Amino acid sequence: MPSYPSRRTVLTASLAGTAALLATGCSGGEPARPAAAPTAEARLRRAAARESATLLDRYDATSAAHPALAAALAPLREAVAQHMRAFGGTPAPAPGTDAGPDAAESSDADDSPDTPESPDKPNAPVRVPEDAGAALRALADAERAAADRRTAALLDAAPETARLLASVAAAGASHGYLLTELLPEVA
């Protein structure tokens, strides 16, 4: 009759082998693996957040160039800031508002190495037409163009992101309409 090792011997050998594997796995022998590349969904959300940041810059520049429009543009600007938050971005506070102590901390928190294209980075300066009516038309055009791009991105989005993109695109289209409705008040 062949002699087999006891269960206790097998269990002890297994535990010892596992401990040895774990001990060598913790050594610094292998270089650290690079962070995983962002998913297509993450890139899509980041692009949408950057687009919202660009729109925020345009709203801020238009309000600065035409202070008489600032009050009328404030609710639309706030909606765009909410869109940016929904996509995972951190919008800058509206000019002339008290950002509070958390604003600087939250903008630094998103500068991680796996997001090289942070939506929080400032965009190129926006050129605003000198005429208030032309400035509103340019802003309305920017809103409609962003809505069109977001609508086109629906084809590549997962269901949850697609719903968000569709909602924000609809809001952008309505912003474009509302901005053109302000034109008679400016003239």
Side-chain angles (χ1 to χ4, degrees):
M1 176 169 193
S3 171
Y4 294 106
S6 69
R7 280 185 272 168
R8 180 175 289 164
T9 304
V10 172
L11 181 61
T12 302
S14 296
L15 289 174
T18 303
L21 286 174
L22 289 175
T24 59
C26 294
S27 70
E30 287 186 36
R33 291 182 181 166
T39 65
E41 279 304 298
R43 287 189 302 270
L44 186 60
R45 283 178 170 265
R46 201 167 37 246
R50 275 194 309 274
E51 186 141 41
S52 293
T54 300
L55 283 172
L56 283 177
D57 289 346
R58 188 169 289 281
Y59 273 95
D60 293 344
T62 303
S63 293
H66 303 284
L69 298 175
L73 296 178
L76 299 176
R77 186 213 183 272
E78 179 54 33
V80 172
Q82 289 174 356
H83 300 159
M84 187 174 176
R85 282 185 210 98
F87 288 122
T90 306
T97 62
D98 182 20
D102 295 337
E105 294 172 16
S106 66
S107 66
D108 293 341
D110 290 337
D111 292 337
S112 60
D114 63 338
T115 57
E117 304 172 73
S118 175
D120 305 324
K121 301 295 182 216
N123 297 310
V126 177
R127 299 183 77 193
V128 179
E130 290 182 26
D131 176 59
L136 282 176
R137 279 190 289 281
L139 194 52
D141 290 344
E143 281 277 14
R144 283 191 290 269
D148 290 345
R149 284 187 294 276
R150 288 174 173 156
T151 301
L154 290 173
L155 298 173
D156 299 325
E160 181 182 341
T161 303
R163 285 188 292 273
L164 180 58
L165 283 168
S167 178
V168 173
S174 66
H175 287 183
Y177 171 76
L178 291 171
L179 289 165
T180 58
E181 289 295 304
L182 285 175
L183 285 171
E185 294 178 24
V186 174

